[in-house]
Amino acid sequence: MVFKRLLGAIGVGGPSVDTVLDGGAALPGGALTGRVLLRGGGSAVDIEHIGLELIARVEAEHAEGESEGSVVFERFTVGGGFRLGEGEERELPFSVPLPWETPVTELHGQPLGVALGVRTEVAVAGARDKGDLDPLAVRPLPVQEAVLEAFGDLGFGFRSADLEYGHIGGTGQRLPFYQEIELTPAPQYAHAMNELELTFLVSPAGVEIVLEADKRGGPFSAGHDALTRFTVRHEDAPALDWQAEVDGWIRRMTEHHDAYGSHAAYGHDSHGYGHAGMPGTSHHSGPGLGTAVAAGAAGLAVGVVGGMVAAEAVDEIGDFFEGEEDDAEEA
């Protein structure tokens, strides 16, 4: 048994901690399970509190430009109120609910370049120690997977994914940041847009799908950003013809130039970051043409393997966790 972190704030000879997450990627809105492993040091101590923090590496836009930082987006208490003996080993299993809006970090096992982590905090004798940090993998829900695969089947390619600090106005967003997945346009839409940004805002009832297209200008008009959103239910995942559904969304954005307005027209919301309100919500109240979600690694997953994510983004995620570990050591 290897313990990753001595609780430095408690002093030399104090207890050590390791948090082990159960194998496999978690689901937004699902359970995150694992174990906190404690081993006593040279003397008995009272463990007052054991907590878990969910953290994310996010980007923020401000007057001076852009910056990156870590945001804690959920906290849980998973134990405490017991005495840990000298050299004693104790295992504390836990099961905590992930927020529904937890970002997706992978598609068919391929990383998207989004860094999430689970940090363990242990309080002993009034001292709190950021004891351990573990990467968190999250796979898409069936609706999210179906939409991403439909974009891939239509010919859209994966460019990048990141987390943006701020709030998308007019939506049910609850976390202080949102995920943007940037796609290159399919050939049949390349004349109409430079890129497409996709955001999923998940709730127990369904998924808000926010689309922003960087539209190309014409001979007598400048380019602009077109925004819209659509809402689907979780139970629609196996019921809709997703390729036809997504194609319809894109056609509405590209063919109706003035239907959704521009990014500038709606301004920015919370803290000066993120997008503002978007009109034109489309709600689907019943099942469409029946097609099942493809089980294989298709569509955008191919673009993920061939894009920058497979190499560069993995390095970025590693840098994120190394930086967090250094911060914990200095605390």
Side-chain angles (χ1 to χ4, degrees):
M1 184 180 297
V2 178
F3 285 81
K4 296 180 181 179
R5 173 75 65 186
L6 294 174
L7 300 180
I10 302 167
V12 177
S16 55
V17 63
D18 184 20
T19 299
V20 179
L21 302 179
D22 288 342
L27 282 170
L32 176 67
T33 60
R35 299 163 291 149
V36 176
L37 308 176
L38 290 169
R39 183 169 62 189
S43 61
V45 294
D46 292 321
I47 304 295
E48 299 172 353
H49 166 89
I50 300 174
L52 301 178
E53 294 180 337
L54 304 184
I55 61 175
R57 174 67 76 184
V58 304
E59 298 179 359
E61 296 181 6
H62 42 78
E64 291 75 24
E66 294 185 355
S67 60
E68 290 188 347
S70 299
V71 172
V72 176
F73 62 96
E74 188 62 279
R75 290 183 172 91
F76 306 98
T77 297
V78 296
F82 62 87
R83 190 167 183 80
L84 184 69
E86 177 183 349
E88 177 188 356
E89 294 186 355
R90 184 175 293 215
E91 178 178 309
L92 301 174
F94 63 82
S95 177
V96 296
L98 285 180
W100 282 95
E101 288 180 19
T102 300
V104 173
T105 68
E106 64 176 51
L107 177 62
H108 297 303
Q110 299 298 326
L112 298 178
V114 173
L116 302 180
V118 180
R119 185 164 57 196
T120 308
E121 180 183 77
V122 181
V124 179
R128 291 180 178 267
D129 197 296
K130 307 292 186 182
D132 191 19
L133 180 68
D134 296 272
L136 172 61
V138 180
R139 58 190 172 92
L141 291 164
V143 167
Q144 295 171 303
E145 185 175 291
V147 170
L148 290 171
E149 288 188 345
F151 273 108
D153 291 340
L154 288 168
F156 285 80
F158 177 85
R159 175 171 289 167
S160 65
D162 57 23
L163 305 180
E164 298 283 343
Y165 186 75
H167 190 272
I168 303 177
T171 69
Q173 181 186 340
R174 302 181 66 86
L175 293 185
F177 58 84
Y178 54 92
Q179 182 173 20
E180 277 189 348
I181 300 174
E182 295 186 8
L183 307 177
T184 57
Q188 64 269 33
Y189 293 118
H191 68 283
M193 66 177 71
N194 295 304
E195 69 175 14
L196 182 72
E197 293 178 346
L198 165 67
T199 294
F200 294 112
L201 298 175
V202 185
S203 72
V207 182
E208 284 184 90
I209 298 159
V210 182
L211 300 177
E212 177 182 353
D214 179 10
K215 299 184 71 173
R216 298 186 187 276
F220 305 104
S221 63
H224 65 277
D225 290 351
L227 299 98
T228 188
R229 71 176 187 265
F230 304 88
T231 303
V232 295
R233 305 173 306 174
H234 292 293
E235 56 265 35
D236 289 336
L240 292 178
D241 180 344
W242 285 103
Q243 188 168 334
E245 193 77 12
V246 170
D247 188 57
W249 298 345
I250 304 304
R251 290 187 183 279
R252 273 177 256 181
M253 293 187 73
T254 57
E255 292 174 0
H256 301 286
H257 297 278
D258 300 320
Y260 304 112
S262 69
H263 189 246
Y266 295 103
H268 292 76
D269 200 6
S270 174
H271 305 287
Y273 313 127
H275 306 302
M278 280 151 281
T281 303
S282 174
H283 297 273
H284 300 279
S285 58
L289 301 177
T291 57
V293 176
L300 288 182
V302 177
V304 172
V305 177
M308 57 81 66
V309 167
E312 296 177 16
V314 172
D315 291 338
E316 292 176 5
I317 294 171
D319 293 341
F320 164 53
F321 286 105
E322 287 175 8
E324 288 294 321
E325 294 283 8
D326 292 341
D327 292 343
E329 290 174 358
E330 294 171 1

